[in-house]
Amino acid sequence: MADVALHTPAGEHTTTGLSNTKLAVWLFLGSECLLFGGLISTFMLYRGRVIGSGPEPAKGWPTAGKLYNIPFTSASSFVLLMSSLTMVLAVASMQRGDRPKARLWILTTALLGCCFLAGQAFEFTHFYRDGAGYTTSLFTSSFYTLTGFHGVHVAVGVVMLVSLYVLSGRQQWGSEKAESVEIIGLYWHFVDIVWIVIFTLVYLIPS
Amino acid sequence: MDADTAEAIEPASYTDAPGGHGETGHSDMVYVKVFVLLVVLTAFEVALSYSHIGRAFIPILAVVMVLKFGIVVSYFMHLRYERTSAFGRLFMTGLFLAIVVYIAMLTTFRVWSS
Amino acid sequence: MALIERKGQLELGDGGDRAEPIGVFTRPMAETGWRSWVTTVDHKKIAIMYGVSAIFFFVVGGIEALLIRLQLAQPNGKVVSAQLYNELFTMHGTTMIFLFVIPIGAAFMNYFIPLQVGARDVAFPRLNAFSFWAFIFGAIFLNLGWFLGGAADGGWFMYAPNSGTLFSPSHGIDFWTLGLIITGIASTAGAVNLIVTVLNMRAPGMKIMRMPVFTWMSLVVQFLLVFALPVITVALFLLMFQRNFGATFFNPDAGADPLLWQHLFWLFGHPEVYILILPAFGIVSEVLPVFSKKPLFGYPFVVFSGAAIGFMGWGVWAHHMFASGLGPISVAVFSITTMFIAVPTGVKIINWIATMWGGRLRLTTSMLFAIGLIGMFTIGGLSGVTHAVSPADLQQTDTYYVVAHFHYVLFGGAIFGFFAGFYYWWPKVFGRMLSERLGKWNFWLMLIGMNLTFGPMHIVGLQGQPRRTYRYAPGMGFDMWNKVESVGAFIIALGVLVFLINAIQSRKHKAYELDPWDARTLEWMTTSPPQPHNFDAIPTVHTLDEFFHRKYDEDPATGAMIKVKEADQVLEEMGRDEHIHMPSPSYWPIAVAFGLPILAFGVIYSHILIVVGALMVLGSLYGWAMEPATEPDSGGHGGDVAPSTELVSHG
């Protein structure tokens, strides 16, 4: 019954009693499924097309199996999973009102995110040296586009986390700010689940 | 998406218990356990990729992937503990559409037989 | 973008005693003048800006059409070259769809959704402003090709391989691609905004099934936008990477499949056509009851069929690809799903006709356009049904028969619906009526013009006149009908001119009375134009067609509805809320939006600009996040995101 507007935990008056921002974010994440779905589908279509149209590189056309370093990528996946844990611990701490702990977990999450990105950069540098440039073949173009979009999403998440860390130190932040942390957390976990899909479909299945 | 059936959320109760109960009413240990489960599943996936089990590989991997996906969404993203189904329904609509249309599209390209 | 809002609303200082904003710029507070428009977050002002922009691009697209028709008025026409012709039909389609129909829909939806649900503004007012500025910058960017080496020339559907740099070396397609990415961002943000508004900002008692049909159809449209836009975004990025960074995603020579583009494009493209038509369906569902003096027949059916159209629209996209070599199974499947989707639209047509049946019709201009929609859309829908039969479509595809189909549904459907909306809601928005006399001329010129222009296209199309071809040889049987079509196009143009004159002249009309049409829905329970805060008191809603039921009551003797109150009395009885909180204006939305075309320029011309544009966006996002939605000293709650709907019910 929408006869009276309800209060959200953060104090807004809304028809459903749910936070505007939280509704918006879940909806946005739903739309992101279609974005990543398109990129993943493009990869799935082109993952076997390793012959390019340019001159053949000296080492031959790199295929997925030859290129990947599964142990390394597994370590990256572990790092990202751990960052999801630290993120949810940050949210839980914030909801308890434990700001110092929350900030610690937020910073840790950001650092783990940076580790992941560093790992990606390292990995891609090696791929490039092994002959897999962006335009080498449809496989490489699709691969880099998909993982690149994901990486940009991680980077945006890191920026938001660092901003959150800095801002939460400057003024009084009580448990009513928990929602902001929760919102960034939702985004961060989504980026993690996209990686779960990418790791399986892109890395593990071809090898 | 009938928001009228969304029940009022009671104001969250915050306690001061250190390392104790947050809004979900359970402790942080649950999250750690979930994390460990995710790590185990990932390790299983990777180990499987080194073994040679033939045609069962892809289906098993797909199931594990969906499991991990679901666990993160339910526990880390809190969907399991929300009193409303609105968030889940908004997200699942996008997810459902993505899965259906992209699988249909890839089917017309006959990628599954490669 | 939603990620702006995720930074949370930050209290600067301890709950209200903040003195200085963080950063260099003080909060704009202008209420008049150009600055008030540039910094506005008021949904009504934003809507008017959308509307003016849309009408401007309607004229631009119309001129492009007239040039096409001048070229085709005779065989072997020499009015334009083949290259220019390609640019004209590409830009005509792109402009009409993305820069006219979408934003005019946005104009109506932005203006009326908050009013129809009883809210003071949308859920995220600054995001709303951002959406408009990103749209207009994207729209201008898209058209820069005309001035910088040639406009896009691959058709509005931009099929590969014509879309590649080999066949289209000018930057036109790059402006097109990047321009659409920017407008796509604008629409995605707008969709999230309006969905949350409809779900979360309704007045007390405004249950989902008491909402006006226009709001309902708009809700379906926003869901379609939010889920379909990402798909074309992927396609556009892939094309952009191909054209600017050497990728080969759609290049058959490199082993790519050009059908990938087609699938991604039409996965968006088909929901897009429902995005184009549903708002017009919503407007008609408002207009018909008012001018039939009868409630809408079968409200739940009209609502559910709209939702059904939205849902089923996802299952038909490959009917645009029947001739592409999909294979018989895919073609058969999509043929069947396409036939099914005619059903919910048929339901609406039946309900609209049943609404008019037995009613006391008033044939105002608005009503004429609404009835015109029913007729013209039915014709277009029927040719659509013939397309669904895939063997028949193999003859129809790529001919003028298809052009006839979609112009009947788009011009006779969407555009007629919007014109019905103009004549119906003009007094509400501007406080003055449009002339009914000029309106009738407007209507008849457009009706006759469109039938002369698009009617014969059915014939010449089936006789073999192909689309997208800059000339046809004499003696093919096309000559006479093409002349008729070109004459018709100029009659349409005359009709549009009459409308523009009507619009401009309306300023001289006297301010009208409060409720000129004896309307039914909540947006009429305000002054005209509405005050910035919309309602003096947020009403409590008890029923569908709340306004109607406050004016009319059932006569116990006869059972008929008789008028017991006039509109001014209803308004007076609503009272006034004590605390009205409105969001404050802001620079940041336009600042963030401005970084986007800079970034896009960088992709085409100089990669350093990409960094510059990105930094502008990032910096402005910080400014946005640091700024409270409402200034405390203006009487608002410092931390609210949306204007609060104070829920003291005043009956």
Side-chain angles (χ1 to χ4, degrees):
Chain A
M1 287 284 183
D3 283 340
V4 178
L6 308 164
H7 280 252
T8 69
E12 293 171 281
H13 297 185
T14 63
T15 308
T16 60
L18 305 174
S19 148
N20 282 345
T21 319
K22 213 166 155 183
L23 273 176
V25 170
W26 275 108
L27 181 59
F28 173 68
L29 295 181
S31 85
E32 289 261 88
C33 291
L34 283 132
L35 186 85
F36 279 103
L39 294 166
I40 291 171
S41 303
T42 303
F43 177 82
M44 296 293 282
L45 181 64
Y46 287 154
R47 61 194 168 111
R49 308 196 190 189
V50 294
I51 310 292
S53 56
E56 202 167 312
K59 291 189 181 178
W61 297 106
T63 61
K66 282 200 294 181
L67 209 54
Y68 295 150
N69 179 349
I70 296 296
F72 185 86
T73 316
S74 307
S76 279
S77 303
F78 174 78
V79 164
L80 206 60
L81 273 179
M82 176 163 284
S83 75
S84 260
L85 171 67
T86 56
M87 184 75 235
V88 79
L89 291 176
V91 175
S93 303
M94 198 64 215
Q95 283 166 349
R96 262 180 260 128
D98 188 347
R99 192 162 63 102
K101 224 195 214 136
R103 296 186 72 227
L104 177 69
W105 289 128
I106 288 170
L107 189 63
T108 313
T109 309
L111 287 171
L112 288 170
C114 286
C115 276
F116 175 82
L117 288 173
Q120 293 287 82
F122 182 76
E123 215 184 52
F124 293 172
T125 315
H126 272 259
F127 290 172
Y128 182 73
R129 290 210 201 107
D130 288 344
Y134 182 64
T135 60
T136 305
S137 66
L138 284 168
F139 158 65
T140 62
S141 298
S142 321
F143 172 82
Y144 285 121
T145 304
L146 171 59
T147 52
F149 260 86
H150 176 261
V152 168
H153 277 75
V154 174
V156 168
V158 169
V159 169
M160 289 199 292
L161 286 165
V162 170
S163 309
L164 195 60
Y165 178 76
V166 169
L167 290 168
S168 64
R170 290 175 70 188
Q171 43 246 344
Q172 289 309 109
W173 264 49
S175 55
E176 73 276 4
K177 288 304 164 196
E179 186 180 274
S180 309
V181 185
E182 193 187 353
I183 298 290
I184 295 183
L186 288 174
Y187 174 84
W188 190 259
H189 296 305
F190 179 76
V191 166
D192 188 22
I193 58 181
V194 172
W195 182 256
I196 288 174
V197 176
I198 291 178
F199 184 55
T200 306
L201 293 182
V202 173
Y203 286 91
L204 291 183
I205 286 189
S207 51
Chain B
M1 280 150 273
D2 186 354
D4 292 80
T5 60
E7 287 142 9
I9 290 188
E10 295 154 23
S13 53
Y14 303 120
T15 73
D16 297 329
H21 301 257
E23 197 184 64
T24 54
H26 58 61
S27 75
D28 289 353
M29 271 313 288
V30 176
Y31 296 129
V32 179
K33 287 186 197 157
V34 166
F35 168 70
V36 170
L37 176 59
L38 287 166
V39 171
V40 166
L41 286 172
T42 310
F44 173 69
E45 276 187 300
V46 177
L48 210 63
S49 76
Y50 280 106
S51 66
H52 299 284
I53 58 163
R55 292 175 55 207
F57 176 60
I58 290 180
I60 296 179
L61 220 59
V63 167
V64 175
M65 173 184 88
V66 170
L67 219 56
K68 286 166 68 180
F69 189 103
I71 289 171
V72 174
V73 172
S74 310
Y75 286 91
F76 283 172
M77 293 173 85
H78 221 244
L79 217 49
R80 190 161 179 261
Y81 300 102
E82 297 286 351
R83 286 191 193 89
T84 173
S85 56
F87 302 134
R89 283 195 269 178
L90 290 174
F91 180 72
M92 292 303 168
T93 306
L95 183 64
F96 170 77
L97 278 171
I99 292 172
V100 169
V101 300
Y102 287 125
I103 289 184
M105 178 185 92
L106 288 174
T107 306
T108 71
F109 283 114
R110 297 181 204 102
V111 292
W112 312 120
S113 51
S114 59
Chain C
M1 299 175 267
L3 54 75
I4 301 152
E5 299 300 334
R6 264 182 251 119
K7 290 199 168 140
Q9 298 308 309
L10 306 171
E11 299 277 13
L12 302 175
D14 218 3
D17 69 332
R18 69 160 214 89
E20 282 302 306
I22 288 178
V24 184
F25 307 105
T26 54
R27 195 68 181 261
M29 284 311 203
E31 282 183 25
T32 54
W34 67 270
R35 262 178 290 239
S36 72
W37 289 88
V38 164
T39 60
T40 187
V41 296
D42 180 345
H43 70 100
K44 301 182 288 298
K45 278 189 139 117
I46 291 171
I48 290 173
M49 290 196 287
Y50 267 118
V52 170
S53 311
I55 302 216
F56 171 75
F57 283 111
F58 183 43
V59 172
V60 169
I63 291 172
E64 286 157 351
L66 290 176
L67 287 168
I68 292 173
R69 286 314 322 168
L70 277 175
Q71 166 69 5
L72 293 179
Q74 59 284 314
N76 284 332
K78 295 193 174 40
V79 177
V80 298
S81 67
Q83 172 61 33
L84 181 56
Y85 186 84
N86 290 351
E87 295 174 29
L88 283 171
F89 76 70
T90 303
M91 292 306 287
H92 165 73
T94 305
T95 301
M96 286 305 196
I97 289 173
F98 291 104
L99 308 186
F100 168 55
V101 176
I102 297 250
I104 197 68
F108 281 109
M109 293 189 277
N110 259 289
Y111 203 100
F112 291 107
I113 288 180
L115 286 168
Q116 286 199 333
V117 301
R120 295 223 152 88
D121 208 310
V122 296
F124 305 109
R126 288 176 298 177
L127 192 66
N128 205 15
F130 165 78
S131 284
F132 170 72
W133 294 113
F135 154 71
I136 194 69
F137 291 145
I140 294 171
F141 190 86
L142 213 160
N143 277 285
L144 286 178
W146 285 119
F147 307 107
L148 294 174
D153 59 353
W156 87 277
F157 44 83
M158 208 51 73
Y159 279 2
N162 287 352
S163 56
T165 47
L166 178 62
F167 294 109
S168 190
S170 82
H171 285 309
I173 293 183
D174 300 305
F175 284 110
W176 184 91
T177 310
L178 291 158
L180 286 182
I181 290 176
I182 296 174
T183 56
I185 292 172
S187 292
T188 306
V192 171
N193 211 343
L194 288 176
I195 291 174
V196 175
T197 303
V198 172
L199 292 181
N200 243 7
M201 299 194 54
R202 289 170 277 140
M206 177 58 82
K207 301 194 202 188
I208 290 272
M209 292 303 275
R210 286 181 187 163
M211 297 195 309
V213 176
F214 176 71
T215 297
W216 249 114
M217 295 301 103
S218 303
L219 181 66
V220 175
V221 165
Q222 300 313 314
F223 272 106
L224 288 173
L225 278 167
V226 84
F227 292 129
L229 280 168
V231 187
I232 193 178
T233 304
V234 171
L236 291 169
F237 268 101
L238 295 179
L239 181 61
M240 187 266 285
F241 288 138
Q242 173 174 310
R243 287 182 59 91
N244 293 286
F245 296 101
T248 54
F249 290 112
F250 308 115
N251 185 355
D253 291 336
D257 201 326
L259 283 191
L260 177 65
W261 169 271
Q262 294 195 23
H263 279 289
L264 291 176
F265 182 83
W266 288 117
L267 267 170
F268 157 80
H270 198 84
E272 166 71 358
V273 311
Y274 296 117
I275 289 166
L276 298 176
I277 196 63
L278 284 176
F281 281 179
I283 293 176
V284 164
S285 308
E286 304 282 332
V287 165
L288 288 177
V290 168
F291 296 111
S292 309
K293 288 210 137 338
K294 267 182 78 198
L296 181 70
F297 189 91
Y299 168 90
F301 286 97
V302 179
V303 165
F304 285 125
S305 62
I309 288 172
F311 180 70
M312 293 165 73
W314 286 92
V316 301
W317 81 89
H319 68 219
H320 300 271
M321 299 166 62
F322 280 157
S324 65
L326 281 176
I329 298 178
S330 302
V331 167
V333 167
F334 282 100
S335 191
I336 293 172
T337 57
T338 305
M339 290 182 207
F340 274 119
I341 203 163
V343 173
T345 305
V347 167
K348 283 185 188 294
I349 306 249
I350 290 173
N351 279 285
W352 289 331
I353 294 177
T355 303
M356 292 191 290
W357 194 276
R360 287 196 327 272
L361 303 188
R362 291 179 288 160
L363 294 180
T364 59
T365 306
S366 177
M367 183 62 160
L368 287 174
F369 273 113
I371 298 175
L373 179 148
I374 297 177
M376 298 301 104
F377 188 87
T378 300
I379 295 174
L382 288 173
S383 57
V385 169
T386 65
H387 290 326
V389 182
S390 52
D393 187 64
L394 285 183
Q395 183 185 2
Q396 300 157 1
T397 195
D398 284 342
T399 70
Y400 264 84
Y401 187 85
V402 182
V403 180
H405 159 70
F406 64 70
H407 281 95
Y408 266 86
V409 293
L410 283 177
F411 197 102
I415 294 183
F416 271 27
F418 290 125
F419 273 79
F422 287 140
Y423 282 89
Y424 177 57
W425 274 319
W426 200 270
K428 172 53 56 186
V429 175
F430 296 110
R432 303 190 189 277
M433 307 273 278
L434 284 170
S435 152
E436 279 292 305
R437 200 179 53 88
L438 284 177
K440 302 278 165 44
W441 276 98
N442 179 184
F443 170 72
W444 288 108
L445 283 170
M446 276 188 162
L447 182 73
I448 292 169
M450 78 154 275
N451 279 290
L452 281 179
T453 311
F454 305 117
M457 288 183 183
H458 293 100
I459 302 170
V460 291
L462 286 180
Q463 287 176 340
Q465 183 179 1
R467 290 173 73 174
R468 315 173 197 134
T469 321
Y470 79 114
R471 66 182 181 188
Y472 53 91
M476 312 261 311
F478 304 149
D479 303 15
M480 182 199 70
W481 287 124
N482 270 277
K483 260 202 182 43
V484 171
E485 291 165 14
S486 296
V487 169
F490 278 88
I491 295 177
I492 293 176
L494 207 55
V496 174
L497 187 62
V498 168
F499 170 74
L500 293 173
I501 293 171
N502 200 351
I504 294 168
Q505 281 212 350
S506 71
R507 300 166 120 206
K508 298 196 219 134
H509 300 159
K510 67 170 177 52
Y512 82 102
E513 72 225 65
L514 207 53
D515 181 21
W517 308 124
D518 197 16
R520 310 175 72 92
T521 42
L522 227 56
E523 75 274 19
W524 294 98
M525 274 166 62
T526 57
T527 58
S528 296
Q531 303 192 47
H533 54 272
N534 292 349
F535 302 96
D536 279 344
I538 301 290
T540 299
V541 174
H542 303 106
T543 171
L544 179 65
D545 286 344
E546 173 75 14
F547 185 40
F548 176 80
H549 288 279
R550 290 192 184 201
K551 293 184 288 183
Y552 283 79
D553 217 344
E554 198 174 318
D555 179 358
T558 62
M561 299 299 275
I562 51 169
K563 199 161 198 180
V564 295
K565 255 181 236 172
E566 289 298 327
D568 52 0
Q569 201 181 343
V570 171
L571 251 70
E572 209 178 283
E573 286 176 2
M574 281 166 68
R576 197 192 159 88
D577 282 339
E578 274 175 32
H579 303 287
I580 295 179
H581 310 283
M582 293 305 291
S584 308
S586 173
Y587 293 109
W588 298 115
I590 189 173
V592 175
F594 193 66
L596 295 174
I598 307 267
L599 214 162
F601 263 114
V603 173
I604 299 177
Y605 291 114
S606 159
H607 292 179
I608 197 81
L609 279 179
I610 298 179
V611 177
V612 171
L615 286 176
M616 285 176 69
V617 169
L618 190 64
S620 304
L621 285 175
Y622 274 115
W624 184 326
M626 311 290 266
E627 175 191 73
T630 310
E631 288 302 295
D633 37 61
S634 72
H637 286 165
D640 279 354
V641 179
S644 76
T645 55
E646 235 11 341
L647 298 158
V648 183
S649 52
H650 283 269

